[in-house]
Amino acid sequence: MFTINPMPQQLPSDLIALLEKCEVATIGHVLHSGFVDRDIRAVLPSKRVAGTAVTVRIPHADSTALHYLTKLVRAGDVVVIDRSGDDKHACWGGVITHCMKNAGVKAGVIDGPATDFSEIVKTDMPVWCRGPSPITTKILGTEGQINVPVSVGGQVVEPGDAVLCDESGVIVLKPNEAEVYAKRAIEMQERELVTLERLRNGEKLPDISGATAHVEGKLVKH
């Protein structure tokens, strides 16, 4: 029926702060895995948040477990919702938005639709989902699982994983790897600022990136 596992250990605040300096797309220059399906998009594209994954799997039209989770979540959590393939029913709406916001939850990541986007905007609650739906889940009391490994957007997410979300998408990282990738991404972003300054000073991008050397070194001469 229902599985309710203990809440995961939260990630250190300094690691969260480090991750929130990173753009998801910058990590995309380094990694090819860990990214959820790009169709899971930000309702509030200006937001970038990171936090500790708290997972929930809810079936079809039953959101009982998600409602129960609202009494367990903590400030700094990212609620990651496996919808078991259901793309019809919106499990996250105005009331859930307010509950999660009041608890200090950093974001919701839903492998399915949401509803009440105006409440999400008004409440300034970061949510990533597969778009809107007017058809909502119900409290049916059939089944659900909290803090189990889930599948969201093609990625396995475990309770306690690091989740980073922004306008480009969502990435899930293992806690023992997150700092390494965050620092590498920040270094790349700092180098990009130097590149932009060189471009403003008149240099050409292919000369900076090395594309000129590759092309001109392999030109077919006629």
Side-chain angles (χ1 to χ4, degrees):
M1 296 286 286
F2 290 95
T3 301
I4 311 296
N5 288 327
M7 297 293 280
Q9 180 177 350
Q10 289 188 301
L11 299 171
S13 58
D14 56 345
L15 175 58
I16 297 300
L18 191 70
L19 283 167
E20 289 184 339
K21 295 179 181 178
C22 304
E23 299 174 11
V24 174
T26 305
I27 300 177
H29 286 290
V30 179
L31 286 177
H32 295 281
S33 61
F35 299 91
V36 307
D37 186 351
R38 64 180 182 271
D39 286 336
I40 297 178
R41 299 179 182 177
V43 179
L44 305 175
S46 63
K47 297 295 183 181
R48 182 192 302 157
V49 295
T52 304
V54 170
T55 65
V56 56
R57 179 184 293 117
I58 54 178
H60 46 81
D62 187 1
S63 57
T64 306
L66 178 59
H67 278 238
Y68 188 82
L69 181 62
T70 64
K71 69 185 290 182
L72 305 177
V73 287
R74 310 153 299 185
D77 289 338
V78 173
V79 174
V80 181
I81 305 174
D82 181 343
R83 292 294 289 111
S84 304
D86 187 334
D87 63 358
K88 178 179 180 180
H89 299 91
C91 66
W92 187 298
V95 172
I96 293 293
T97 294
H98 283 276
C99 289
M100 297 300 185
K101 184 73 174 183
N102 292 342
V105 167
K106 299 290 286 290
V109 178
I110 310 158
D111 196 349
T115 194
D116 297 335
F117 278 26
S118 61
E119 285 297 303
I120 292 172
V121 172
K122 183 170 69 175
T123 311
D124 199 35
M125 179 72 212
V127 172
W128 280 256
C129 67
R130 291 188 182 273
S133 173
I135 308 170
T136 64
T137 53
K138 312 293 187 292
I139 304 300
L140 302 178
T142 56
E143 60 178 306
Q145 298 172 300
I146 291 175
N147 289 321
V148 297
V150 297
S151 176
V152 172
Q155 295 297 324
V156 174
V157 185
E158 297 186 274
D161 281 348
V163 184
L164 173 64
C165 321
D166 69 10
E167 62 183 1
S168 295
V170 178
I171 185 170
V172 180
L173 298 165
K174 294 303 173 190
N176 62 345
E177 299 175 344
E179 182 177 356
V180 171
Y181 288 115
K183 288 182 175 179
R184 188 168 176 184
I186 291 168
E187 290 174 359
M188 293 179 70
Q189 289 166 191
E190 290 172 349
R191 289 199 299 271
E192 183 176 295
L193 294 176
V194 174
T195 298
L196 293 176
E197 181 62 24
R198 292 174 67 180
L199 291 171
R200 283 192 290 270
N201 290 334
E203 293 186 64
K204 301 303 181 183
L205 179 60
D207 297 339
I208 298 171
S209 70
T212 295
H214 281 295
V215 171
E216 295 183 353
K218 298 178 182 178
L219 280 175
V220 176
K221 298 180 180 179
H222 297 285

Coordinates of all heavy atoms in Angstrom, one line a residue, residues 5 13 15 23 54 69 90 105 109 121 163 165 181 190 202 206 219:
N5 N 9.7 5.9 4.0 CA 11.1 5.7 4.5 C 11.5 7.0 5.2 O 11.0 8.1 4.9 CB 12.0 5.3 3.4 CG 11.8 3.8 2.9 OD1 11.4 3.0 3.7 ND2 12.0 3.6 1.6
S13 N 25.1 23.0 3.7 CA 24.7 24.3 3.1 C 25.7 24.9 2.2 O 25.4 25.6 1.2 CB 24.3 25.3 4.3 OG 25.4 25.5 5.1
L15 N 27.7 23.3 0.3 CA 27.7 22.6 -1.0 C 26.5 23.1 -1.8 O 26.6 23.3 -3.1 CB 27.5 21.1 -0.8 CG 27.3 20.3 -2.1 CD1 28.5 20.5 -3.1 CD2 27.2 18.8 -1.7
E23 N 25.6 27.0 -13.6 CA 24.5 26.9 -14.6 C 24.5 25.4 -15.0 O 25.5 24.7 -15.2 CB 24.8 27.7 -15.8 CG 24.9 29.2 -15.5 CD 25.3 30.0 -16.8 OE1 25.4 29.4 -17.9 OE2 25.7 31.2 -16.6
V54 N 14.2 14.8 -2.1 CA 13.3 14.0 -1.4 C 12.3 13.4 -2.4 O 11.7 14.1 -3.2 CB 12.5 14.8 -0.3 CG1 11.4 14.1 0.3 CG2 13.5 15.3 0.7
L69 N 3.5 13.8 2.3 CA 4.9 14.3 2.3 C 4.9 15.7 2.8 O 6.0 16.1 3.4 CB 5.5 14.2 0.9 CG 6.9 14.6 0.7 CD1 7.9 13.8 1.6 CD2 7.3 14.6 -0.7
A90 N -2.6 16.3 -13.0 CA -1.7 17.2 -12.3 C -1.7 16.9 -10.8 O -2.8 17.0 -10.2 CB -2.1 18.6 -12.6
V105 N 10.6 24.4 1.1 CA 11.1 23.5 0.0 C 11.7 24.4 -1.1 O 11.1 25.4 -1.4 CB 9.9 22.6 -0.5 CG1 10.3 22.0 -1.8 CG2 9.6 21.6 0.6
V109 N 10.1 19.0 -8.7 CA 10.5 18.5 -10.0 C 9.5 17.3 -10.3 O 9.6 16.3 -9.6 CB 12.0 18.0 -10.1 CG1 12.3 17.5 -11.4 CG2 12.9 19.2 -9.7
V121 N 3.4 31.1 -9.8 CA 4.0 32.4 -10.1 C 3.8 33.4 -8.9 O 4.8 34.0 -8.5 CB 3.5 33.0 -11.4 CG1 4.0 34.5 -11.6 CG2 3.8 32.2 -12.6
V163 N 20.3 18.0 -6.3 CA 19.5 18.4 -7.5 C 19.8 19.8 -7.7 O 19.7 20.7 -6.8 CB 18.0 18.1 -7.2 CG1 17.2 18.5 -8.5 CG2 17.7 16.7 -6.8
C165 N 18.6 22.9 -10.5 CA 17.6 23.2 -11.5 C 17.7 24.7 -11.9 O 17.9 25.6 -11.1 CB 16.2 23.1 -10.9 SG 15.9 21.7 -9.9
Y181 N 32.1 18.6 -9.6 CA 31.5 19.1 -10.8 C 31.1 20.6 -10.7 O 31.2 21.3 -11.6 CB 30.3 18.3 -11.3 CG 30.7 16.9 -11.8 CD1 30.3 15.7 -11.2 CD2 31.4 16.8 -13.0 CE1 30.7 14.5 -11.7 CE2 31.8 15.6 -13.5 CZ 31.5 14.4 -12.9 OH 31.9 13.2 -13.4
E190 N 34.0 31.2 -15.2 CA 34.9 32.3 -15.0 C 35.8 32.5 -16.3 O 36.1 33.6 -16.7 CB 35.8 32.0 -13.8 CG 35.0 32.2 -12.5 CD 35.8 31.7 -11.3 OE1 36.9 31.1 -11.5 OE2 35.4 31.9 -10.1
G202 N 37.6 42.7 -29.7 CA 37.7 42.6 -31.1 C 38.2 41.2 -31.6 O 38.3 41.0 -32.8
P206 N 36.4 31.9 -33.3 CA 37.1 30.7 -33.7 C 38.6 30.8 -33.4 O 39.3 29.8 -33.2 CB 36.8 30.6 -35.2 CG 36.4 32.0 -35.6 CD 35.7 32.5 -34.4
L219 N 42.2 22.4 -44.4 CA 41.5 22.9 -45.6 C 41.8 22.0 -46.8 O 43.0 21.6 -47.0 CB 41.9 24.3 -45.9 CG 41.2 25.4 -45.0 CD1 41.8 26.8 -45.4 CD2 39.7 25.4 -45.3

